[in-house]
Amino acid sequence: MALNTYVITASILFVSIALLLFARSIIFRVLHKWAAKSDTKIDDLIIQTMKIPSIYWALAIGLYISIGTSEIPEKYSFYLIRALHLIVILSVTLTLANLSGNLFRDYVQKTGIPIPPTGLAHGIIKGIILILGLLVMLNSLGISITPLITALGVGGLAVALALQDTLANLFAG
């Protein structure tokens, strides 16, 4: 590849990232104005949780555009795009886990339920979302997740039956 091709690819990368970050800033300004008009705190919480990951998503989309327009051989661009997909899936999963945890904490504090906002329920909610994200990542890699889900279901049933009395006492306490 010639030096001219590298310059074109790099300029496409930087221009696309700059345009995406500019669009991101406009979108967040509009969202902040919209959230200021509402009475709820939930929209502010969602906007705050999405602020940092949206930078990474803009960078990933810019990289995706530049890889698609470059003259990188097909076998290398395939692996680069797959890596970008995994990074975006991980980022979305972590964002959803944090968002659900923040929403749960806000709900517990608002309703006055006598449970700690960072206790077992908070961990279970975040854990379920992280496990689902991991399964999506495995599926995008081409790994069949059906046997894994079946094994987890059978294992969970066995553990639940074995620990039935212990779990009843734990949740009763």
Side-chain angles (χ1 to χ4, degrees):
M1 289 182 8
L3 181 62
N4 190 19
T5 307
Y6 290 126
V7 171
I8 291 172
T9 303
S11 58
I12 289 173
L13 172 68
F14 291 125
V15 167
S16 62
I17 288 175
L19 289 174
L20 288 166
L21 290 176
F22 179 70
R24 176 194 166 275
S25 67
I26 291 173
I27 289 169
F28 272 107
R29 269 193 229 127
V30 170
L31 287 175
H32 279 297
K33 287 179 185 176
W34 173 72
K37 294 177 186 176
S38 69
D39 295 334
T40 64
K41 186 181 168 186
I42 294 173
D43 49 6
D44 297 323
L45 200 59
I46 292 171
I47 292 170
Q48 189 63 30
T49 304
M50 302 281 283
K51 203 164 212 165
I52 299 296
S54 65
I55 295 172
Y56 298 126
W57 299 335
L59 293 174
I61 292 171
L63 282 170
Y64 185 79
I65 291 170
S66 68
I67 289 171
T69 59
S70 70
E71 294 180 11
I72 297 176
E74 186 70 29
K75 63 180 180 178
Y76 298 129
S77 66
F78 173 76
Y79 290 116
L80 287 173
I81 289 174
R82 184 172 273 187
L84 276 175
H85 286 162
L86 290 176
I87 291 169
V88 168
I89 291 169
L90 179 65
S91 173
V92 168
T93 301
L94 292 175
T95 302
L96 288 175
N98 289 333
L99 179 63
S100 66
N102 291 340
L103 289 174
F104 177 74
R105 187 179 310 120
D106 182 58
Y107 177 75
V108 168
Q109 289 173 351
K110 189 185 330 180
T111 57
I113 297 174
I115 60 172
T118 58
L120 180 65
H122 181 265
I124 288 174
I125 290 170
K126 287 181 82 168
I128 287 172
I129 292 174
L130 291 174
I131 288 172
L132 289 175
L134 177 69
L135 291 175
V136 170
M137 287 175 68
L138 289 175
N139 192 29
S140 71
L141 286 174
I143 298 171
S144 178
I145 60 170
T146 307
L148 183 63
I149 292 174
T150 305
L152 287 174
V154 171
L157 181 64
V159 168
L161 289 174
L163 299 175
Q164 187 174 9
D165 294 333
T166 306
L167 290 175
N169 292 334
L170 175 71
F171 287 115

